[in-house]
Amino acid sequence: MVERKTTPQSAADNLVKLRSPQPEDETGEGVRSSSEASLRQRLTRLGRLIDAHPDALWLTDQDGVVLEANRPAAALMGLGVEEMIGAGFVDLIPSGLARTHRRRVEDVVQTGLPVFYVHSREDRDIEFHLYAAPGSGGEVENLVIVGRDVTARRRAEEPVPEPEENLRQLTVNLRETYVLLQVDPPGVVLVSPSFEEVFQLSVEDLMANPWALTELIHPDDLNLLRDLCVQWRHQPQSFEFEYRIMPPDGQVRWIVSRGFPIIDQTGRPNRLATVSEDITDRKLVEEARRESDRRYRALFEGSRDGVLSLDLEGRILTANPAAARILGYDDPRELVGLPAETIHQEPARRTQMISRLREQGFLDEVELAFKRRDGGVVYVMGSATVDFDAAGRPTGHSFIFSDVTRRKMAEEALLANQRQLSALAAELAMIEERERRRIASNLHDRVGTNLFSAKIKIKAVEAALDDGHATRELAEVSALIDQIVRDARSLTCELALPVLYELGIEAAVEWLAEKIRAEHGLTVRVVDDGRRLPLSDELRGLLFRSVSELVHNAVKHARASVVEVGLEKSEDLIRIRVADDGIGFDAEGLLSGRKLSVGWGLFSIRERLTYIGGRLEVNSRPGQGTEAHIRAPVTDAGGAG
């Protein structure tokens, strides 16, 4: 493959394109904005390219006023770029050269053809090329001046002094390989010592046969070399040629050779100076980079996960096919240039994500809602990372994501089912409470009354009998009826405590405290604010059973010695606090329902309270006791609380 240097003409064209006005966008404001952004990026890149160009470049108007200049131009003149802009070009060059420059400018303006001249002084030779830059009407509006230091080339073009020993000494320490060739007749004049190391061909063999080098060149590159030789014979000029050689050691090497014609006194090229360098390592690095890019591109294109890269302004730079598919686009290129707001369903979530990403540099398991092209919503989860340039400056961020819409919908359906089940469980609990009270009422009103009547009649029969044996039998039956009455009363209290519905939640809690003190010997304190509120029967039943569950947990599991129950009421809220000095427990595990053996009661209470708009909070640590808080909204029941 033949690679040539940038000519002064191509450098001039680049500078003119960089500063020329661009045609207006006729496809609307949206496209115009995108085109302007693209144009700004292109202008910035071209500006960097021009500054990186080795030649000095100036752009002037017809009067010779400098409009633009690059950094090599500033270095050549020994001035800053800003010092040159606005100055006359003739004021920047030696006064003796000004007249020559003006004549050359006139030639360019009149003919439109490029011209050049050389300024030589004691230590340097500067070659200036002038090119016309026509405007839209075809007339010359600007001039492009390309300056190049050709000192080394012109010294090489001078006749080799005799003897040539001085030149040989200069090439001894060159890292590159230097070969001086005779054009006609073909021959080798001078070879640097490094030639043998690079090409593995002796200097003697090359001197004896100048074409021996072609035998080492890779067959795929040999025709390119022949074409270059034919072209150089027709039009001798400097060149640069990259090719491969196959030396005897079998290791293919990449070589770059640069050639410079040496002109004799008649103006014809009589010699060719070449400088060659082994660039195998550079080529291997480039090939490795290309292979890495190829593999990345394969992963990028073939990934099932979507990949988006965005700049600092939030515009999409790249998108892979998976991202286009997830977002409902036919081609990933349709996403390029779009602002992030186009695809984000919740811009506020994106703002929060960017803020966190700038702080942390990487985010994992980020869940976002994206807008599809058809207006639908797709839920995605992925990871985001900050992108940096070679200098370590942030340039934007990348987001790799997968479509989790089905999972999201399944989760929402599951949560909805759970809410329905919780509501059903709470409703069933309420029904259970009402049924317990009905059964308790029947036990009290029917069974209890009937038993009491039966006992009275037995007493009457017992008093009327003189038979001692019958009297004893009746006494045993009477005692059995007394036990049944006591059991019925106890069962009635367990099903639906009469004091709860007749005197209220406060009296029921006091009854519970007395019962626990009597049965278990614990200290149970009840702290009541004294305020009475009308509560529904369902709410009274729920609150009492919640307090009873918490107190019995302190008795059975916490090994507590003191339990305190506090009641506090407001117009629309009742608060109950149950605290103990026991051993504590894993509150989160119990409330989640995972430990059903001891936690189902608390879990059930929480679900029932949640159903009516209330809440149960349990705070506990091992060795630090337990404190539970019940909050429930007050509902008007029209009865005493």
Side-chain angles (χ1 to χ4, degrees), residues 259-498:
F260 310 95
I262 299 177
I263 311 301
D264 62 14
Q265 296 179 351
T266 66
R268 294 182 302 178
N270 66 338
R271 291 184 178 180
L272 176 63
T274 64
V275 178
S276 301
E277 181 181 1
D278 188 339
I279 58 171
T280 303
D281 291 342
R282 189 190 78 188
K283 282 291 187 178
L284 291 175
V285 171
E286 292 175 353
E287 180 61 28
R289 184 181 296 113
R290 283 193 295 269
E291 178 63 18
S292 176
D293 291 343
R294 186 192 65 77
R295 291 180 179 178
Y296 170 78
R297 178 57 57 179
L299 290 173
F300 181 78
E301 297 289 344
S303 174
R304 297 179 61 184
D305 291 337
V307 182
L308 293 175
S309 296
L310 299 92
D311 61 18
L312 294 174
E313 296 178 355
R315 289 191 173 274
I316 298 174
L317 299 176
T318 60
N320 71 339
R325 172 179 51 78
I326 293 172
L327 295 173
Y329 288 81
D330 297 328
D331 193 315
R333 290 171 293 185
E334 295 176 306
L335 286 164
V336 175
L338 293 180
E341 290 76 9
T342 304
I343 64 171
H344 276 272
Q345 180 71 13
E346 302 170 331
R349 288 281 302 274
R350 175 185 176 273
T351 302
Q352 295 173 359
M353 184 197 76
I354 295 299
S355 178
R356 291 172 50 211
L357 183 60
R358 288 173 178 171
E359 294 176 359
Q360 304 177 27
F362 176 80
L363 295 176
D364 196 16
E365 295 186 354
V366 179
E367 186 172 313
L368 296 171
F370 280 170
K371 289 186 291 189
R372 286 174 53 86
R373 188 177 192 177
D374 57 11
V377 177
V378 58
Y379 294 94
V380 301
M381 178 175 286
S383 58
T385 182
V386 177
D387 298 330
F388 298 92
D389 61 14
R393 295 183 296 264
T395 59
H397 72 277
S398 295
F399 186 49
I400 303 175
F401 58 94
S402 57
D403 185 348
V404 295
T405 304
R406 291 185 178 179
R407 190 191 74 186
K408 184 76 173 179
M409 295 303 180
E411 290 175 352
E412 292 180 353
L414 179 60
L415 289 175
N417 290 336
Q418 289 177 341
R419 287 191 293 268
Q420 291 178 355
L421 289 174
S422 297
L424 180 60
E427 184 65 28
L428 289 174
M430 294 299 182
I431 295 173
E432 177 191 358
E433 188 67 29
R434 289 192 292 268
E435 188 65 16
R436 290 163 69 98
R437 189 180 177 194
R438 185 187 66 80
I439 295 173
S441 178
N442 288 335
L443 281 173
H444 179 270
D445 295 343
R446 296 181 181 180
V447 177
T449 300
N450 292 335
L451 287 173
F452 184 74
S453 298
K455 182 177 179 180
I456 292 175
K457 290 180 179 181
I458 290 175
K459 286 290 185 182
V461 172
E462 182 181 354
L465 290 176
D466 293 331
D467 188 345
H469 177 74
T471 301
R472 288 193 300 273
E473 291 293 330
L474 288 175
E476 291 178 2
V477 172
S478 179
L480 183 59
I481 291 176
D482 288 340
Q483 181 61 43
I484 294 173
V485 170
R486 286 193 296 272
D487 291 342
R489 288 175 180 173
S490 177
L491 181 59
T492 299
C493 290
E494 290 180 6
L495 288 173
L497 186 65

Side-chain angles (χ1 to χ4, degrees), residues 56-207:
L57 303 174
W58 294 268
L59 180 68
T60 73
D61 60 15
Q62 287 191 27
D63 298 326
V65 177
V66 177
L67 303 177
E68 297 288 349
N70 67 350
R71 293 176 183 172
L76 187 63
M77 292 299 184
L79 300 170
V81 172
E82 298 299 327
E83 293 178 86
M84 293 189 294
I85 294 177
F89 185 83
V90 294
D91 297 327
L92 304 177
I93 59 179
S95 57
L97 192 62
R99 183 176 180 183
T100 301
H101 179 78
R102 289 192 179 97
R103 287 202 307 267
R104 295 294 183 267
V105 170
E106 291 175 357
D107 294 340
V108 173
V109 172
Q110 291 175 2
T111 65
L113 299 175
V115 299
F116 80 96
Y117 61 90
V118 178
H119 168 58
S120 298
R121 54 190 186 189
E122 294 181 359
D123 59 337
R124 297 175 72 186
D125 293 326
I126 309 299
E127 192 176 80
F128 292 99
H129 293 254
L130 282 65
Y131 301 90
S136 58
E139 68 280 7
V140 177
E141 289 185 358
N142 301 99
L143 291 176
V144 176
I145 303 171
V146 181
R148 178 178 294 172
D149 190 339
V150 295
T151 306
R153 192 193 73 192
R154 291 178 67 85
R155 296 294 182 270
E157 292 173 352
E158 294 176 0
V160 179
E162 296 294 334
E164 295 178 341
E165 184 61 28
N166 293 336
L167 183 58
R168 296 181 190 277
Q169 293 179 8
L170 289 175
T171 62
V172 167
N173 297 317
L174 283 178
R175 181 172 59 88
E176 296 85 357
T177 297
Y178 179 82
V179 177
L180 182 62
L181 300 173
Q182 178 73 36
V183 176
D184 195 12
V188 179
V189 178
L190 181 64
V191 182
S192 64
S194 61
F195 176 85
E196 293 187 357
E197 179 182 354
V198 173
F199 291 92
Q200 295 186 18
L201 179 67
S202 68
V203 173
E204 291 77 9
D205 290 342
L206 181 64
M207 297 290 284

